[in-house]
Amino acid sequence: MSTHEPKRGYILISSEIESEYQRISEELRPSRVVGFIEDEFKIEHAKAVVAEAYISEAQTKYLILGANNFNNISQNSLLKLLEEPPRNIELIIISPTKSNLLPTVRSRMPIIKGQKKSSVAEIEVNLSRISYKEVFEFLKANARVKKSEAKALVEALYHKAAVVEKLVLTSTQLQNFDKAYRLLELNSRPQSVLAMLIMSFVGEKNAN
């Protein structure tokens, strides 16, 4: 018997979107599961979900929507479906954070938390003595990172500076960390955001 208990749809908060999708799909067998797993969930994905939802089913069908980012237009287009899903349709949304989702979406479904990775990614560079060469190598190694990966790197850089190296961050550096998260949410180029952060440590070192 399946260990998954059917619910009237829910939101799962987890950064492990792919693995959670696989886990839930396994638990829901032999029920039919249709996944819509994207890096960014856009209006065309929402339209595909709605179309799939209105294909009549004799047995329960689960639609799993997972993404690192859900844009507002796509979420608004799903509100009616979330409010009144067709017969035998259950929806599950997987998002790394609640803040990715509109209050109108969050209010329509219960929210549960998945397992989070407790470890923070390791940054090899020594931020207190970083050189321009090391900056270049770091940016080159992370030239093609996606937004979610860039967020993890921002967190790792902060952890390395404040916790591992115990540096006293300047007001500019602290502002840069805060700005980095906001810029990534606005879909700024990840490498430019990472360059802004890591270069602030080179400048600080050279100024001393």
Side-chain angles (χ1 to χ4, degrees), residues 15-204:
S15 58
E16 302 302 301
I17 294 171
E18 287 281 356
S19 60
E20 290 285 14
Y21 167 65
Q22 295 297 333
R23 177 186 65 79
I24 295 170
S25 297
E26 288 292 324
E27 290 181 357
L28 288 172
R29 285 184 176 179
S31 298
R32 187 173 174 219
V33 176
V34 182
F36 300 86
I37 310 301
E38 308 291 340
D39 182 48
E40 180 172 3
F41 200 86
K42 301 177 181 178
I43 184 63
E44 56 263 36
H45 305 128
K47 287 178 179 178
V49 170
V50 173
E52 184 66 42
Y54 284 97
I55 298 173
S56 61
E57 299 287 335
Q59 304 295 327
T60 300
K61 177 171 66 178
Y62 294 85
L63 307 184
I64 303 180
L65 292 57
N68 290 309
N69 187 50
F70 292 79
N71 72 36
N72 291 352
I73 297 173
S74 68
Q75 292 184 68
N76 281 322
S77 69
L78 290 171
L79 291 179
K80 183 180 178 183
L81 179 62
L82 297 175
E83 184 73 36
E84 299 178 359
R87 182 173 174 270
N88 292 331
I89 296 296
E90 301 286 348
L91 291 106
I92 298 169
I93 295 175
I94 308 173
S95 171
T97 64
K98 287 192 293 185
S99 60
N100 267 354
L101 303 171
L102 295 171
T104 46
V105 171
R106 300 199 301 263
S107 67
R108 282 165 167 78
M109 306 173 80
I111 298 174
I112 61 176
K113 290 184 179 179
Q115 293 185 342
K116 269 192 169 182
K117 280 188 174 178
S118 57
S119 59
V120 177
E122 290 187 16
I123 299 292
E124 296 296 328
V125 296
N126 186 330
L127 293 173
S128 65
R129 296 180 301 183
I130 191 168
S131 66
Y132 285 110
K133 180 183 177 183
E134 289 171 311
V135 167
F136 175 77
E137 289 172 350
F138 174 83
L139 295 175
K140 184 179 178 182
N142 296 288
R144 296 175 181 267
V145 295
K146 296 180 180 178
K147 181 166 76 171
S148 59
E149 296 166 330
K151 286 181 179 179
L153 284 170
V154 171
E155 181 182 351
L157 283 167
Y158 182 81
H159 184 266
K160 175 77 170 181
V163 179
V164 178
E165 297 188 26
K166 295 181 170 56
L167 302 179
V168 178
L169 300 181
T170 67
S171 59
T172 299
Q173 288 169 333
L174 289 170
Q175 287 169 9
N176 283 345
F177 276 107
D178 181 56
K179 189 190 297 183
Y181 285 106
R182 288 187 281 112
L183 287 172
L184 288 171
E185 283 298 323
L186 293 170
N187 295 319
S188 294
R189 188 166 169 259
Q191 194 183 37
S192 299
V193 175
L194 294 172
M196 172 194 71
L197 273 183
I198 202 161
M199 283 298 294
S200 71
F201 288 93
V202 179
E204 198 57 35

